Amino acid sequence: MTVPTPPDDQKPGGQIPDGQQPGEQAAGDYNPWSPPPPGSAPVGQEPYPMPMAPVWAPQPRNGMGIAALVLGIISVVLGLFIILFWMSWLPALLALIFGFVGLSQVRRGLATNKGMAVTGVVLGAVGLVAAVGGGVFSAIVVDKVVDDARTKVEEAEASASAEAESEAAAEAARHLSFGKPYTFDGGLKVTVAKPEPFTPDAFAHGHAKGNKAIEVTVTVVNTGRERVAVETGLPDVNDADGASASLVIDGSGRQKVITGYLLPGRTAVGKYAFSLPPGAADKAEVEFSPDAARWDDAYWSGSLNGKGADDKGTGGKGADGEPAGPAAQQVSGPAGG
């Protein structure tokens, strides 16, 4: 069997001639119209570069520093108003916390706003101090206000107690037994003697048969330096049961009503008759004032049986020991007239 002889430009066994690269054609065999061998670049063009994957730089974490700065400013502004101390401590505390966290991130290279974080820490500390100071100041002010209020209340209570005691003492001083003097403002000294039995005439009005009639004598002395208008009206008499006694009016002319002006050092005497029921005639109370529009009434009371404070008699003298005759100015008229 005959083996074909290979061309001169090829070697047996598929060997490539010396000096020729794989895929290259031998010199003199180039055909410009033939397609390029596989894997070769077009004639006159550079091979395309392979695209590179983008490298992203990490973004700085500046949020903590910014938050610390904002909260620090808020805490300081609120701290300027002392009454808002209860609102400034929280943003101040948060500013400190966020500021330290921001500084920690700056040290680790995660943040770049070191100045903001430091400023937030400083402002947070200032705000916290302002909050504490405002709280202490407010506590002192409130304590002082409470003390002042308590002092005023105690003073008011003491004043009210003293006033009540004074009124009670004045009320007690206006309750006397028969024959004791009581001096009203203006210097009018009034004495009500123990009532004496009174016998009405046949024409008496206000006295029922079986009742006990008494005569009430009222003596008024002007111990002051100016004349005083005396508009007494009539005294009120209550029996032992507290019921008002009936005024007795007869034609004997024995009843006299004090009225008009009373000069300094002068005395006026009034006489009034009243009728008491038999069952309540053992005790009486006389209520009297020289002028009810100006002074509260004083009260004289006591038993109508047995000896009283004035049972020794006055010997024709007034309750103050002075003669009740011509030396006394008696401006009077018929009772009920």
Side-chain angles (χ1 to χ4, degrees):
M1 184 174 179
T2 304
V3 178
T5 303
D8 295 337
D9 56 350
Q10 293 184 0
K11 290 184 178 183
Q15 296 181 354
I16 300 174
D18 295 337
Q20 182 179 351
Q21 297 295 330
E24 290 183 354
Q25 295 181 349
D29 293 339
Y30 174 71
N31 183 5
W33 306 106
S34 63
S40 62
V43 179
Q45 293 185 4
E46 296 292 334
Y48 291 104
M50 295 296 294
M52 299 287 294
V55 178
W56 300 98
Q59 295 294 326
R61 301 177 182 178
N62 295 332
M64 287 295 179
I66 296 174
L69 178 61
V70 173
L71 292 172
I73 294 174
I74 293 175
S75 66
V76 171
V77 172
L78 292 177
L80 295 177
F81 301 93
I82 298 178
I83 59 174
L84 298 179
F85 72 93
W86 56 276
M87 295 178 60
S88 62
W89 70 270
L90 182 57
L93 183 61
L94 293 177
L96 284 174
I97 296 174
F98 291 166
F100 285 122
V101 172
L103 289 176
S104 175
Q105 291 178 344
V106 170
R107 285 194 296 269
R108 289 183 295 169
L110 301 178
T112 59
N113 57 346
K114 180 179 180 181
M116 287 186 178
V118 171
T119 305
V121 170
V122 173
L123 293 178
V126 172
L128 198 59
V129 171
V132 173
V136 173
F137 179 78
S138 299
I140 294 174
V141 171
V142 170
D143 185 66
K144 183 173 181 1
V145 170
V146 171
D147 289 342
D148 292 343
R150 185 182 297 111
T151 300
K152 290 182 179 179
V153 170
E154 292 176 353
E155 290 177 354
E157 291 178 351
S159 177
S161 177
E163 184 176 356
E165 292 178 359
S166 177
E167 291 179 355
E171 180 68 21
R174 290 201 305 271
H175 288 75
L176 309 100
S177 59
F178 289 127
K180 299 294 183 179
Y182 179 79
T183 303
F184 291 83
D185 294 340
L188 293 181
K189 184 170 67 173
V190 178
T191 304
V192 175
K194 179 181 178 181
E196 298 291 341
F198 180 81
T199 303
D201 62 13
F203 304 99
H205 174 74
H207 180 66
K209 186 177 180 180
N211 284 4
K212 179 178 180 180
I214 59 174
E215 182 180 64
V216 177
T217 302
V218 179
T219 304
V220 181
V221 181
N222 185 356
T223 62
R225 297 182 179 181
E226 298 180 357
R227 70 173 188 171
V228 180
V230 181
E231 302 291 343
T232 62
L234 299 174
D236 291 329
V237 177
N238 300 320
D239 59 25
D241 294 335
S244 296
S246 299
L247 178 67
V248 177
I249 301 175
D250 65 4
S252 64
R254 289 173 291 177
Q255 287 81 47
K256 299 182 182 299
V257 178
I258 302 174
T259 184
Y261 286 97
L262 189 62
L263 298 177
R266 307 306 293 270
T267 302
V269 179
K271 294 181 178 293
Y272 313 89
F274 293 88
S275 178
L276 284 71
D282 59 337
K283 183 179 179 180
E285 181 185 65
V286 179
E287 180 179 349
F288 180 81
S289 173
D291 190 343
R294 298 171 59 188
W295 302 297
D296 293 332
D297 291 335
Y299 303 86
W300 289 262
S301 62
S303 175
L304 301 180
N305 301 322
K307 293 184 178 182
D310 57 346
D311 280 352
K312 295 181 180 180
T314 58
K317 297 182 180 181
D320 57 346
E322 296 183 1
Q329 178 194 25
Q330 301 191 20
V331 184
S332 60

